C-alpha cells in the first residue's frame, strides 16, 4: 500500500491502524537481514496504532496522517528513540525534543516506526555502517542501498513502511532513492525546518526530505511540512521542456545509458520536448565546490551539533569511537591537515554564488522547465567494494559515479525529484533526477505525477539474497 491508500483504508474502516502496524512489523521481522533499522520498538508502535483506532472510534479523526507509520532516519531528533547519527558515542543520546520536521508528522497523527540505519555521521553514499552493520539493497542483498539514508530507502523499497524521512547534503536522499528504485524529493533548501537534524554544513546544503513509492506520497509529506495544499496530478507533459545536458550523460554505465534513453523516448511520446544543450562551465564545477565547502565545515558542524543538542559528548570523544574505516576516511578528507584550507573554502563560497546565477540564467536562456539526467552514473556497488566504480571496463572514482550528477542540486538550491525508470538485466534499479529552480517544489511535484504516469512502475524487489 502507498501512504495515501493506507490512510484512505483506515479512514473508511476497511483496515485498522493496529492491523496495518502488525502487518508492517511482520514484514520488518521477515526482512531483518536488510538491517534497515538501528532501533525499533514494536510495543510502542502497536500502542500508538491502537490509540489511533480508539480515537477514530470515538469520532476523533485526528490529523491527515492519523495512524500512518513513518520511519525516520537516525540523524533526526526524536524523543521516543535515541538519535545515534549512526555512531557509537551517541548510542545513548536521547534528545529532549523532537526535530520540528518530525513533530509536524506526529502532530498530524503519524506513528514513529523506528529509526533507520545510515552511513555513520551521514558521511558517504554507502550505508555500510561500521558500528551498526551494513544496510542491504532490497533488490540484491549483496549491493549497497546508497547513502547516507540507506536504511530509510531500503525500508520503503521493501514495503516495510510507505514513507521514510531522509536527509541530503550531497545526494543522501537522491542516491539511495535511485539505488533502491523509489521516489525521493530533495526540496529547495530551507523549505522544511532543519531544527534538530544533524548537518554537515552550516546552513548551506543539508536538507531533509521524504522517500516513498509514489509521487502522491511525496506530495502528502510536503503538504504536512509546509501547511499548504498537496500538489495534485493536473500537469501534462505536453510542451514541457526538459534540458538534457551531455555533461551528465558522459561516462555512464551502458545499462543506465540504455534505460535512460528508453525513458526519454517515453517522455517524448507523452509530449515532452527534449532540449539538448550543455550546461555552463560554472555549473560543471558544482561537485568541487560542494565537496570543498562540505569538507571544510564538517568538523565544526559536528562539534556544534554535539554542543547545541547537549549530547554530553565532545568532538574528540566522538571521533575516538568512530568505526576505524570511517575514522580514516574523515582524517584524509575533513580533518587537519587534510581539511581544505580557509582560502579554498572562501573561494568556493564565492564560486557557489556564481553557479547559482549561471543556473538561473541557463534555465531562462534555454526556456528549460526542468533539467533531466541519470541520478547516478554507475549501478549500486557490491558491499565492501566501494572505492571505485567500473563503467564500460573503465574505473571511475566513487565520487564521480555517485556525486557528480547530484552536486548541482544543493549548490544551486534546486528542487530535485528522483524517479525510478527501469532495471538493469540483473534487476538493479535505474533512476532519473529532475530539477527545477528554487521554490518551484509544488510545480516539480505536479510534473512528477506526469513523469510517473508516462514512465510507469518498475518491478518490486524479490528479496532473495544473491
Amino acid at each position: 500500500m502507498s501512504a495515501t491508500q493506507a490512510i484512505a483504508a483506515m479512514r473508511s474502516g476497511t483496515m485498522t491502524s493496529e492491523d496495518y502496524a502488525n502487518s508492517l512489523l511482520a514484514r520488518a521481522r521477515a526482512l531483518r537481514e536488510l538491517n534497515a533499522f538501528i532501533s525499533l520498538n514494536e510495543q510502542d508502535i502497536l500502542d500508538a496504532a491502537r490509540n489511533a483506532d480508539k480515537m477514530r472510534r470515538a469520532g476523533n479523526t485526528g490529523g491527515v496522517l492519523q495512524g500512518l507509520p513513518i520511519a525516520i532516519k537516525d540523524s533526526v531528533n526524536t524523543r521516543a528513540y535515541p538519535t545515534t547519527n549512526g555512531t557509537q558515542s551517541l548510542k545513548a543520546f536521547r534528545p529532549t525534543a523532537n526535530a520540528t520536521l518530525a513533530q509536524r508528522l506526529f502532530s498530524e497523527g503519524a506513528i514513529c516506526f523506528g529509526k533507520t540505519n545510515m552511513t555513520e555521521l551521514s558521511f558517504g553514499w554507502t550505508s555500510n555502517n561500521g558500528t551498526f552493520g551494513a544496510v542491504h539493497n532490497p533488490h540484491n542483498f549483496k549491493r549497497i542501498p546508497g547513502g547516507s539514508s540507506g536504511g530509510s530507502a531500503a525500508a520503503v523499497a521493501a514495503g516495510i513502511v510507505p514513507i521514510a524521512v531522509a536527509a541530503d547534503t550531497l545526494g543522501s536522499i537522491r542516491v539511495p532513492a535511485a539505488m533502491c528504485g523509489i521516489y525521493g524529493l530533495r526540496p529547495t533548501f530551507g523549505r522544511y525546518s532543519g531544527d534538530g537534524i544533524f548537518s554537515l554544513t552550516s546552513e548551506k546544503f543539508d536538507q531533509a526530505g521524504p522517500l516513498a513509492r509514489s509521487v502522491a506520497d511525496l506530495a502528502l509529506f510536503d503538504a504536512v511540512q509546509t501547511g499548504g495544499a498537496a500538489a495534485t496530478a493536473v500537469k501534462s507533459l505536453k510542451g514541457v521542456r526538459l534540458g538534457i545536458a551531455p555533461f551528465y550523460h558522459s561516462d555512464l554505465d551502458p545499462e543506465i545509458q540504455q534505460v535512460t534513453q528508453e525513458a526519454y523516448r517515453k517522455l517524448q511520446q507523452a509530449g515532452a520536448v527534449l532540449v539538448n544543450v550543455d550546461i555552463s562551465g560554472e555549473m560543471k564545477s558544482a561537485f568541487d565546490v560542494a565537496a570543498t565547502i562540505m569538507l571544510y565545515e564538517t568538523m565544526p558542524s559536528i562539534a556544534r551539533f554535539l554542543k547545541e543538542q547537549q549530547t554530553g559528548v565532545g568532538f574528540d570523544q566522538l571521533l575516538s569511537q568512530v568505526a576505524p574505516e570511517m575514522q580514516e576516511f574523515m582524517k584524509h578528507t575533513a580533518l587537519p591537515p587534510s581539511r581544505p584550507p580557509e582560502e579554498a573554502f572562501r573561494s568556493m563560497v564565492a564560486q557557489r554564488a556564481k553557479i547559482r546565477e549561471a543556473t538561473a540564467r541557463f534555465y531562462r536562456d534555454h526556456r528549460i522547465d526542468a533539467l533531466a539526467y541519470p541520478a547516478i552514473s554507475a549501478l549500486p556497488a557490491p558491499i565492501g567494494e566501494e572505492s571505485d566504480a567500473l563503467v564500460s571496463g573503465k574505473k571511475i572514482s566513487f565520487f564521480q559515479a555517485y556525486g557528480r550528477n547530484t552536486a548541482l542540486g544543493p549548490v544551486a538550491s534546486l528542487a530535485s525529484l528522483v524517479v525510478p525508470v527501469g532495471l538493469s538485466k540483473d534487476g538493479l534499479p535505474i533512476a532519473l533526477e529532475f530539477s527545477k529552480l528554487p521554490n518551484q517544489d509544488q510545480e516539480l511535484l505536479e510534473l512528477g505525477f506526469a513523469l510517473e504516469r508516462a514512465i510507469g512502475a518498475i518491478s518490486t524487489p524479490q528479496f532473495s539474497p544473491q
Side-chain angles (χ1 to χ4, degrees), residues 10 68 84 206 282 356 416 465:
M10 289 185 286
L68 184 75
T84 72
D206 301 82
E282 290 100 338
R356 297 180 73 155
S416 300

Side-chain angles (χ1 to χ4, degrees), residues 104-160:
R104 284 178 177 155
L105 299 174
F106 303 150
S107 295
E108 290 295 337
I111 296 170
C112 182
F113 197 94
K115 302 295 286 293
T116 56
N117 202 352
M118 53 183 281
T119 305
E120 189 169 13
L121 297 171
S122 297
F123 203 69
W125 295 301
T126 68
S127 296
N128 193 7
N129 189 299
T131 299
F132 295 99
V135 183
H136 298 265
N137 191 315
H139 291 265
N140 183 322
F141 282 38
K142 293 187 177 181
R143 302 275 178 158
I144 62 172
S148 61
S149 310
S152 290
V156 171
I160 298 172

Side-chain angles (χ1 to χ4, degrees), residues 109-360:
I111 296 170
C112 182
F113 197 94
K115 302 295 286 293
T116 56
N117 202 352
M118 53 183 281
T119 305
E120 189 169 13
L121 297 171
S122 297
F123 203 69
W125 295 301
T126 68
S127 296
N128 193 7
N129 189 299
T131 299
F132 295 99
V135 183
H136 298 265
N137 191 315
H139 291 265
N140 183 322
F141 282 38
K142 293 187 177 181
R143 302 275 178 158
I144 62 172
S148 61
S149 310
S152 290
V156 171
I160 298 172
V161 287
I163 299 180
V165 175
D168 187 309
T169 308
L170 187 52
S172 290
I173 291 173
R174 294 160 294 150
V175 171
M179 289 192 182
C180 289
I182 58 176
Y183 295 84
L185 175 68
R186 180 198 158 93
T188 300
F189 177 77
R191 183 171 177 84
Y192 308 156
S193 171
D195 174 60
I197 301 176
F198 180 84
S199 68
L200 292 172
T201 65
S202 176
E203 295 294 320
K204 291 182 177 67
F205 299 151
D206 301 82
Q207 177 62 59
L211 293 165
R213 296 189 300 273
S214 72
V215 174
D217 288 356
L218 299 181
L220 174 65
F221 185 100
D222 182 73
V224 167
Q225 293 302 323
T226 62
T232 54
V234 297
K235 194 170 183 65
S236 165
L237 284 179
K238 188 174 181 180
V240 172
R241 293 171 62 84
L242 300 176
I244 311 295
F247 175 76
Y248 293 125
H249 295 77
S250 61
D251 291 324
L252 294 181
D253 181 279
E255 293 193 80
I256 293 179
Q257 179 71 39
Q258 180 181 354
V259 172
T260 293
Q261 292 306 315
E262 174 61 18
Y264 288 157
R265 185 189 65 78
K266 290 179 180 179
L267 298 180
Q268 284 181 301
Q269 286 183 332
V273 178
L274 304 189
V275 183
N276 291 286
V277 56
D278 213 0
I279 60 174
S280 68
E282 290 100 338
M283 295 166 73
K284 291 177 182 177
S285 70
F287 179 78
D288 290 338
V289 170
T292 301
I293 292 174
M294 185 191 77
L295 294 175
Y296 181 83
E297 294 197 334
T298 289
M299 184 173 66
S301 294
I302 294 173
R304 183 174 59 252
F305 177 88
L306 296 174
K307 182 177 180 181
E308 290 179 352
Q309 298 300 321
Q310 300 180 338
T311 63
V313 176
F315 181 83
D316 290 341
Q317 180 186 352
L318 175 141
L319 184 63
S320 70
Q321 296 182 47
V322 167
E325 286 189 3
M326 178 58 74
Q327 191 174 119
E328 284 302 305
F329 182 47
M330 293 183 70
K331 285 180 178 178
H332 283 93
T333 55
L335 304 180
S338 300
R339 180 188 179 201
E342 183 178 355
E343 182 180 353
F345 165 73
R346 294 191 180 282
S347 173
M348 291 304 186
V349 169
Q351 180 67 7
R352 182 194 180 202
K354 294 179 182 178
I355 291 172
R356 297 180 73 155
E357 293 171 2
T359 302

Side-chain angles (χ1 to χ4, degrees), residues 74-104:
D74 211 5
S75 61
V76 178
N77 281 356
T78 51
R79 285 188 301 174
Y81 288 88
T83 298
T84 72
N85 288 292
T87 198
Q88 175 68 34
S89 64
L90 295 178
K91 275 185 172 182
F93 168 51
R94 296 295 289 258
T96 57
N98 294 319
T100 300
L101 178 142
Q103 184 57 48
R104 284 178 177 155

Side-chain angles (χ1 to χ4, degrees), residues 6-7 10-11 13 15-21 44-69 106 108-112:
I7 289 169
M10 289 185 286
R11 282 181 178 170
M15 178 179 72
T16 66
S17 299
E18 182 178 0
D19 284 345
Y20 187 43
D44 283 356
I45 292 168
L46 289 174
D47 287 346
R50 289 173 186 135
N51 186 59
D53 289 332
K54 181 179 178 181
M55 290 175 62
R56 204 173 276 114
R57 287 193 299 269
N60 184 349
T61 56
V64 297
L65 303 177
Q66 185 76 357
L68 184 75
F106 303 150
E108 290 295 337
I111 296 170
C112 182

